[in-house]
Amino acid sequence: MTLELDIKVEELSINPEKDLNLPVDWDKPLIPENYSQKAGQGVRKEIDEQSAKLILLLNLIDEYERNLVEICDKLEAGFLQLSRAKFYNPNRFDSSYYDLRELNAQSQIKDGKLIIQGPTKPESKPEENEEEKEPEEPTLRNRHQKSSKIVKKVNSDAELRNSSFKDPIKMFGAILPVSLYESQAAFKQSLELLMEKKRLVAEMSALFDRVEEIEREKEKEKEKEKEKEKDDAQEDDSPEKHNERKTSAQ
Amino acid sequence: MEGLFFNIENGYIEALVRGYRSGLLTSSQYINLTQCDTLDDLKLQLSSTDYGNFMANVPSPLSTSTIQRKASDKLYDEFNYIRSQSTDLLAKFMDYITYGYMIDNVALMITGTIHERDRSEILDRCHPLGWFDTLPTLSVATDIESLYQTVLIDTPLAPYFYDCLSAEDLDDLNIEIIRNKLYKAYLEDFHKFSQTLPSPANEVMDRLLQFEGDKRAINITLNSIGTELTPEVKLEIFPQLGSLIPFHLELSRVEDSETLKGIVSNVGTYKEFFGSDDDKNLEDHFYQHEMNLCRDAFTQQFTISTIWSWVRSKEQEVRNITWIAECIAQNQKERINNYISVY
């Protein structure tokens, strides 16, 4: 026995981005009622909420996979450029030069957004910082000396150092190869992508929960209908109903 | 005439160095290394070269840093062996080779102190060839003048500090400036000493050190674009060696790579570095040119310049092996052929 399926491709394929015009807020109904696809025949004119949410979930999964690929690419590029920097300058860019002093965080998450700090004008007062640090490290920091040519620059560098921003790459020195900066840039970009990944995971998770909730509601409704049918059937079989039918028939 | 008396004191050492040179990896051996799929394969391939069982006692899993460390240790052992056999002029020549590493160690110790690192941890990471007895005492770094007076004045680096004592605050930028000033003074002193060597060592070393001066000037220029280094500071750290001395003033004011290219193209040797269509960047071209000079240095006989050439060639070889190991570990086979091979 053969089963012939005469299904047009246009009936099956739906381009969510183009045809469904999905809004950003997925809590609201996504699909307008009486939607009809342009091509093909015999397509359902309405798409229920669950299907719309599933379509959106699939979109998010696709976006998530692309995001993962981008993260992998950026991390690979970062590590490769770091290896290249080490190729040009062995033993210069390893853990020997890590700065273990307290540093302000360069990247912060505020209101769900990633903020990467950049160089700012020195706002903090260098004198206060010096007074604080002097009892702790009286021998290492000695900024109250007279300045020479180089130390003129050092004073401006001291202000920069006392400001809230310090580029961590400078712990390896001041004259650094381009590949090291490229490595840093790749890792920073991967940080933004990781934030995006986190957002996608949260959205997918919530969407999936909603789809399951809709599924549970549908099952409950089905059960209610079944029970109602049962009750109706029982009522029909009751003696009172039987007599009513007999009376009406007569 | 140098051939008549050279072998009396330095014949054995030159023979040793030429033996080491013949053990340097060739292009075909590098190709075998690039075809390895894992670091264990790489270790197996290296065991059939001059490296032998240099990682016999290293358990799996291997890491690229272990491979680099073990390969470097082999170089240091060979260098120390040659050094222990050397006398007179050759001994002083080999001491000069170690001064460069001493400068790196001094900078590392001072940086480690400022970065609040554990002293023993930093000492373990110092370059073995740049070790000197008073190196551990550098961890009491306060300012450069007291460092000089208490520690560095008794080291071979003392003469190189004359221009560095004005800087009174030790931070990352100043340490970098001090490092470069020391290296500049060292390079110029080394060049001056090498010119007292008998021919052909003086000619070969002149060629190599002049190129080193140019390389440092261009690297400083390129890598300091967009940093806090002023043109005056850059002029102070450019070595007074090489073909680019007439262009130092212009180089100190360079603010982008195109201007640098325009200036450096005035020197015929370096013109082709910028014009090539291959994937190599400027640093790759420099290393390639340096390796060509080192390879050509071995064509001269009865000269101690072969030791310098061998050391630089061997260091490049260790960098190549480390790069290949990194590409294997990171599964980046498309970049694995970016090494320098001239033998």
Side-chain angles (χ1 to χ4, degrees):
Chain A
M1 177 177 143
T2 57
L3 180 68
E4 290 183 1
L5 294 173
D6 185 17
I7 303 170
K8 291 185 182 176
V9 174
E10 290 86 358
E11 293 175 2
L12 296 176
S13 63
I14 299 174
N15 186 349
E17 290 176 4
K18 192 179 170 189
D19 296 330
L20 296 180
N21 194 21
L22 295 173
V24 175
D25 187 0
W26 53 265
D27 283 329
K28 295 179 184 174
L30 295 170
I31 314 301
E33 291 183 359
N34 299 323
Y35 166 81
S36 63
Q37 194 177 1
K38 290 176 184 174
Q41 297 173 0
V43 180
R44 287 184 304 161
K45 290 189 179 178
E46 288 181 3
I47 298 177
D48 57 354
E49 186 191 356
Q50 186 183 22
S51 301
K53 296 244 187 301
L54 279 171
I55 290 166
L56 191 58
L57 183 61
L58 288 173
N59 282 336
L60 286 176
I61 290 172
D62 180 55
E63 201 176 328
Y64 175 77
E65 284 184 355
R66 271 186 271 125
N67 178 268
L68 277 183
V69 167
E70 279 182 46
I71 289 172
C72 286
D73 287 343
K74 288 295 174 197
L75 289 177
E76 277 177 8
F79 280 113
L80 194 66
Q81 289 298 333
L82 183 60
S83 302
R84 200 66 189 166
K86 287 181 179 180
F87 175 79
Y88 297 131
N89 298 278
N91 304 321
R92 273 297 305 276
F93 307 122
D94 54 13
S95 55
S96 315
Y97 285 83
Y98 287 177
D99 192 342
L100 296 184
R101 293 172 294 180
E102 282 184 11
L103 291 173
N104 289 331
Q106 305 307 311
S107 307
Q108 292 179 3
I109 298 173
K110 278 185 183 175
D111 301 326
K113 287 182 185 174
L114 179 70
I115 300 167
I116 297 178
Q117 289 191 29
T120 54
K121 287 182 184 176
E123 290 175 3
S124 61
K125 295 177 185 175
E127 291 175 1
E128 287 179 3
N129 287 338
E130 287 167 12
E131 284 171 7
E132 281 174 14
K133 285 188 178 174
E134 266 184 18
E136 291 174 12
E137 302 168 357
T139 56
L140 280 180
R141 306 250 174 209
N142 190 7
R143 298 192 186 91
H144 296 292
Q145 301 284 336
K146 287 180 184 177
S147 59
S148 63
K149 263 192 205 176
I150 292 174
V151 178
K152 263 186 191 176
K153 274 206 52 51
V154 170
N155 283 338
S156 64
D157 294 329
E159 288 175 358
L160 198 61
R161 191 174 54 249
N162 290 329
S163 69
S164 59
F165 174 80
K166 184 185 174 187
D167 194 347
I169 205 173
K170 297 298 180 189
M171 72 173 77
F172 298 112
I175 301 172
L176 302 168
V178 171
S179 43
L180 195 68
Y181 285 108
E182 287 176 357
S183 172
Q184 185 190 40
F187 285 129
K188 276 186 180 171
Q189 286 166 5
S190 67
L191 201 58
E192 293 168 7
L193 291 169
L194 284 167
M195 279 299 302
E196 178 67 15
K197 175 181 170 239
K198 186 175 178 302
R199 180 192 70 80
L200 287 169
V201 165
E203 277 192 22
M204 285 194 302
S205 176
L207 201 55
F208 192 71
D209 290 342
R210 178 66 188 142
V211 166
E212 282 190 334
E213 191 183 324
I214 295 172
E215 188 69 32
R216 281 196 294 271
E217 283 171 5
K218 275 191 177 173
E219 283 178 8
K220 278 184 190 171
E221 280 176 15
K222 277 184 188 170
E223 281 176 12
K224 276 184 188 172
E225 282 181 10
K226 276 185 187 171
E227 282 180 12
K228 196 178 174 186
E229 281 173 9
K230 253 191 191 174
D231 291 340
D232 288 342
Q234 281 176 358
E235 278 184 15
D236 287 340
D237 290 337
S238 65
E240 290 82 10
K241 282 285 179 186
H242 183 71
N243 288 334
E244 276 182 22
R245 278 200 291 271
K246 208 174 177 182
T247 312
S248 61
Q250 286 176 355
Chain B
M1 286 292 287
E2 66 276 358
L4 288 176
F5 306 109
F6 181 85
N7 281 347
I8 296 171
E9 289 190 356
N10 301 320
Y12 172 61
I13 288 171
E14 192 185 3
L16 264 181
V17 170
R18 288 189 181 273
Y20 292 147
R21 176 252 178 268
S22 64
L24 292 170
L25 296 182
T26 59
S27 304
S28 57
Q29 285 171 320
Y30 276 120
I31 290 172
N32 291 341
L33 294 181
T34 59
Q35 288 170 352
C36 296
D37 291 324
T38 62
L39 294 181
D40 288 312
D41 287 346
L42 187 74
K43 174 182 165 184
L44 197 63
Q45 283 292 332
L46 285 173
S47 64
S48 63
T49 65
D50 221 35
Y51 283 96
N53 293 326
F54 76 120
M55 286 202 300
N57 298 327
V58 178
S60 289
L62 293 173
S63 66
T64 55
S65 56
T66 308
I67 294 173
Q68 183 196 5
R69 197 179 70 245
K70 288 288 184 181
S72 300
D73 286 346
K74 187 172 181 297
L75 163 63
Y76 305 149
D77 290 340
E78 289 169 355
F79 183 90
N80 286 328
Y81 180 71
I82 294 174
R83 196 177 181 189
S84 63
Q85 308 283 329
S86 59
T87 57
D88 201 24
L89 210 61
L90 179 57
K92 194 171 179 188
F93 182 81
M94 297 197 75
D95 286 343
Y96 263 102
I97 295 177
T98 63
Y99 294 166
Y101 306 117
M102 281 186 194
I103 291 170
D104 288 336
N105 286 347
V106 166
L108 177 60
M109 284 300 293
I110 298 172
T111 304
T113 304
I114 286 174
H115 289 174
E116 296 180 6
R117 301 294 303 274
D118 182 41
R119 187 177 83 164
S120 56
E121 193 186 344
I122 296 297
L123 282 172
D124 283 341
R125 294 176 179 271
C126 286
H127 199 292
L129 295 185
W131 181 270
F132 52 94
D133 293 334
T134 49
L135 183 64
T137 55
L138 286 176
S139 59
V140 296
T142 54
D143 56 276
I144 197 67
E145 181 150 8
S146 62
L147 260 183
Y148 174 77
Q149 294 295 340
T150 54
V151 182
L152 297 166
I153 195 168
D154 295 321
T155 67
L157 302 180
Y160 307 145
F161 273 88
Y162 70 94
D163 200 21
C164 302
L165 297 179
S166 57
E168 294 171 354
D169 200 1
L170 290 175
D171 61 357
D172 294 320
L173 175 67
N174 256 0
I175 292 170
E176 185 75 42
I177 293 170
I178 290 169
R179 179 209 295 265
N180 281 279
K181 279 190 170 182
L182 288 176
Y183 206 89
K184 170 197 165 169
Y186 152 68
L187 211 58
E188 289 167 5
D189 189 36
F190 192 9
H191 180 260
K192 192 175 166 187
F193 165 76
S194 69
Q195 296 311 292
T196 63
L197 297 173
S199 176
N202 57 344
E203 292 159 16
V204 174
M205 288 308 298
D206 177 60
R207 211 175 305 134
L208 289 167
L209 292 177
Q210 296 275 5
F211 175 73
E212 183 70 21
D214 281 340
K215 190 174 96 168
R216 285 194 72 82
I218 295 176
N219 268 335
I220 289 167
T221 305
L222 190 62
N223 295 335
S224 62
I225 292 173
T227 64
E228 308 100 17
L229 285 180
T230 61
E232 293 79 25
V233 171
K234 288 184 202 177
L235 273 176
E236 286 175 2
I237 59 178
F238 284 157
Q240 294 301 311
L241 290 171
S243 327
L244 290 172
I245 292 176
F247 305 103
H248 276 185
L249 190 59
E250 292 174 55
L251 285 174
S252 66
R253 294 171 186 167
V254 161
E255 291 182 4
D256 57 88
S257 54
E258 286 299 315
T259 314
L260 171 67
K261 179 180 169 181
I263 295 169
V264 173
S265 300
N266 290 319
V267 179
T269 318
Y270 308 137
K271 195 173 181 180
E272 58 199 27
F273 289 1
F274 293 95
S276 60
D277 293 333
D278 54 16
D279 293 335
K280 288 184 179 174
N281 62 13
L282 188 63
E283 278 151 319
D284 292 330
H285 282 290
F286 275 128
Y287 276 119
Q288 180 76 46
H289 188 72
E290 184 184 10
M291 287 301 105
N292 288 336
L293 290 175
C294 289
R295 181 198 55 206
D296 296 340
F298 282 101
T299 56
Q300 299 275 3
Q301 206 169 1
F302 307 126
T303 167
I304 58 177
S305 55
T306 48
I307 296 172
W308 171 265
S309 304
W310 163 70
V311 168
R312 301 297 281 207
S313 301
K314 193 72 178 175
E315 284 176 341
Q316 182 63 52
E317 183 178 281
V318 172
R319 283 196 293 269
N320 287 345
I321 293 171
T322 308
W323 171 253
I324 291 170
E326 287 279 0
C327 287
I328 291 171
Q330 295 178 28
N331 201 21
Q332 295 274 3
K333 287 298 189 74
E334 58 274 4
R335 294 282 303 269
I336 201 169
N337 293 315
N338 284 4
Y339 54 86
I340 312 290
S341 169
V342 296
Y343 292 103

